[in-house]
Amino acid sequence: MAALVGQYYVLLRSVLRTKPLLRRCLVRCRHCRIFFLTHPCNGGRKDLGCPFGCRRAHRKQRSTVRSVAYYRDPIGKKKKQALNGKRAKPRSEGNRPTACPAGLESGSAGWNRLMLEYVRLLVSLIEARSVSRTEIVQMLQRVLRQHSLGRRRKIDHAVIWLQEHPP
Ligand SMILES: [Zn+2]
């Protein structure tokens, strides 16, 4: 984990060196203190959570607190009963969009939506253009493919080396 953070910081530093303007987007997570880049309009804020887990964790916590407070009062209770009644009915047609390409939804192919958004923000900031999420997914798939190719090559080399130099 520490090695991963180290790698991330090396990358972040080199990005900031080549794009000094992005310094104003640099903020620190208020929970785990990690540095990350945010949208320029959030630059300088000290109350942000990082996209590596803190934001999601604390958002969940906040919404739990909110709904507990909400359902504790009598009006909220009635609403909840109505909601539960609605939920019990079988869903006729699927509300989920079917046009969503595979991998875009978190869970389906393991892409974390928040991370995807963060990568999209980073790429748009670095390349100074707006980038679609589809483009990011395609880019990530390409990078991951190359990565696994590289790893396979390394293993091949190791096997060849072992054949030439048996233990
Ligand atoms: Zn954090």
Side-chain angles (χ1 to χ4, degrees), residues 63-165:
S63 81
T64 309
V65 169
R66 212 182 306 129
S67 67
V68 164
Y70 179 75
Y71 290 124
R72 213 169 258 163
D73 78 285
I75 302 164
K77 243 176 217 154
K78 254 178 215 154
K79 275 196 184 156
K80 183 165 189 176
Q81 278 161 4
L83 251 172
N84 283 343
K86 243 181 234 163
R87 214 174 287 151
K89 276 186 217 156
R91 263 191 246 168
S92 45
E93 69 255 51
N95 311 333
R96 290 154 68 87
T98 45
C100 193
L104 277 189
E105 286 209 299
S106 106
S108 56
W111 294 114
N112 175 329
R113 268 185 74 113
L114 257 170
M115 277 310 294
L116 220 53
E117 259 321 294
Y118 183 56
V119 174
R120 196 177 71 83
L121 176 75
L122 282 186
V123 175
S124 344
L125 285 174
I126 292 166
E127 299 192 355
R129 67 189 179 96
S130 83
V131 184
S132 74
R133 210 191 292 164
T134 317
E135 205 176 326
I136 292 300
V137 168
Q138 283 166 353
M139 188 195 80
L140 284 174
Q141 281 166 343
R142 205 162 51 232
V143 169
L144 287 178
R145 217 167 21 235
Q146 279 163 4
H147 192 75
S148 69
L149 262 178
R151 192 158 29 190
R152 212 172 303 146
R153 235 170 264 146
K154 236 179 244 169
I155 293 168
D156 287 346
H157 280 309
V159 169
I160 292 167
W161 190 88
L162 274 173
Q163 280 168 348
E164 287 170 357
H165 310 264

Side-chain angles (χ1 to χ4, degrees), residues 29-34 49-50 52 54-55:
C29 175
R30 74 188 173 113
H31 306 292
C32 71
R33 313 301 296 154
I34 197 169
C50 71
F52 311 117
C54 293
R55 202 180 298 165

